[in-house]
Amino acid sequence: MSVYGPVVKIHPVVLASICDSYERRNEGAIRVIGTLLGTVDKHSIEVTNCFSVPHNESEDEVAVDMEFAKNMYDLHKRVSPTEVIIGWYATGYDITEHSVLIHEYYSREATNPIHLTADTALQSGKMNIRAYVSAQMGVPGKTVGVMFTPLTVKYIYYDTERIGVDLLQRTRLIPGRNKGLASDLSQVAGAASRIQDMLTTVLAYVDDVLSGKATADNSVGRFLMDLVNKVPTISAEDFENMLNSNINDLLMVTYLSNLTQAQIALNEKLVQL
């Protein structure tokens, strides 16, 4: 639980990149570290990207390749100019003495950077993700220490990331952990089925409230009112025509895509002759 400070919003691609860097770590390395990129506003910090930074760590000292971190950030700025350095991450469950030294470096690169820890070893049975900000403590002019204060962590995603997350969720139930992407029509059918299930749940809740079986919730009522107001006023016939038109467009795009692939494959075989 956070004491104060902004909310840290993490995208799935960041977690995947951290796990990948941990799996590819050098032999004998206990943990990996890296730079967090994203955007900052008044109430939240959104982590949208990251990259690992080579480092060597022992009981007595830690060495970080600062030049590599600088060059990687310069390359990222060319692709995503809006993403800035917002902190750093480290795999592991605890904050070590070396974390303070590394945090001092990132304090020169960003204003009040965050420190993200990812328990990739699953010490607690799951991959706990925690975020911290540092604050100095002690007597001014004398011994000064650093205290890491936890922040609230939330997970958000773009629509494109949701597709990958849903696919990964489905692989959990498959022994081989392999799952191909569904076709466009299958995705449309799945989305329609999910919408129908949600509408069924909403209708059942409304019926229970009207019959007195459930207590009315004002917040749920406001959400339902916003939902109803967003639905455009359209007749059933016009809606069916619009849906059929969109499906025909989708089928045409799919047909042209398959035709193009067939032509490319045919051209490659003719070149080989």
Side-chain angles (χ1 to χ4, degrees):
M1 297 295 292
S2 67
V3 178
Y4 72 97
V7 176
V8 179
K9 302 177 180 180
I10 306 176
H11 285 260
V13 67
V14 176
L15 302 179
S17 180
I18 293 175
C19 293
D20 181 68
S21 62
Y22 180 76
E23 289 296 325
R24 297 173 183 269
R25 69 188 185 281
N26 295 330
E27 185 177 357
I30 300 177
R31 66 173 184 169
V32 295
I33 67 172
T35 301
L36 297 174
L37 303 175
T39 56
V40 181
D41 59 29
K42 187 176 181 180
H43 302 290
S44 65
I45 299 175
E46 187 170 347
V47 188
T48 56
N49 209 338
C50 69
F51 59 85
S52 61
V53 177
H55 84 295
N56 293 318
E57 196 169 359
S58 63
E59 294 183 359
D60 302 326
E61 61 181 4
V62 58
V64 182
D65 193 342
M66 305 298 187
E67 189 65 24
F68 177 88
K70 182 179 181 300
N71 293 335
M72 283 294 293
Y73 178 55
D74 290 338
L75 292 174
H76 272 274
K77 282 198 300 185
R78 297 181 183 181
V79 179
S80 301
T82 58
E83 292 181 343
V84 298
I85 295 177
I86 57 176
W88 67 289
Y89 73 82
T91 57
Y93 190 76
D94 299 321
I95 297 177
T96 65
E97 295 180 358
H98 295 159
S99 298
V100 178
L101 300 176
I102 301 173
H103 199 78
E104 288 181 359
Y105 161 72
Y106 281 95
S107 296
R108 298 191 295 269
E109 300 295 325
T111 302
N112 200 18
I114 64 170
H115 175 36
L116 191 75
T117 60
D119 182 16
T120 49
L122 307 181
Q123 297 182 17
S124 60
K126 62 180 181 178
M127 191 173 70
N128 284 323
I129 307 295
R130 298 181 179 181
Y132 304 88
V133 289
S134 66
Q136 289 188 345
M137 58 178 298
V139 180
K142 296 184 179 180
T143 303
V144 178
V146 176
M147 178 179 65
F148 284 90
T149 305
L151 299 174
T152 300
V153 176
K154 292 185 177 181
Y155 306 103
I156 62 175
Y157 47 79
Y158 300 125
D159 291 339
T160 51
E161 292 176 323
R162 175 64 184 269
I163 297 174
V165 172
D166 290 342
L167 184 62
L168 290 175
Q169 289 283 353
R170 290 196 293 270
T171 59
R172 295 189 308 167
L173 305 177
I174 301 177
R177 295 299 179 97
N178 293 323
K179 182 71 175 181
L181 289 173
S183 63
D184 294 338
L185 290 178
S186 298
Q187 293 184 23
V188 171
S193 177
R194 288 193 297 271
I195 292 176
Q196 186 174 8
D197 292 339
M198 288 187 286
L199 289 175
T200 302
T201 302
V202 170
L203 291 175
Y205 169 78
V206 172
D207 291 338
D208 289 342
V209 171
L210 293 177
S211 62
K213 297 179 180 179
T215 304
D217 190 328
N218 293 334
S219 61
V220 175
R222 285 191 291 268
F223 281 124
L224 291 178
M225 181 60 69
D226 292 338
L227 176 63
V228 172
N229 291 334
K230 290 179 180 178
V231 176
T233 303
I234 185 174
S235 64
E237 183 179 357
D238 292 339
F239 178 78
E240 184 177 358
N241 292 334
M242 182 181 63
L243 180 61
N244 291 334
S245 177
N246 290 333
I247 292 178
N248 290 335
D249 292 341
L250 178 61
L251 292 174
M252 179 60 70
V253 171
T254 304
Y255 170 75
L256 292 176
S257 176
N258 293 334
L259 183 62
T260 302
Q261 291 179 356
Q263 284 187 318
I264 293 175
L266 181 60
N267 183 63
E268 290 177 351
K269 291 187 177 297
L270 292 177
V271 171
Q272 294 174 357
L273 294 178

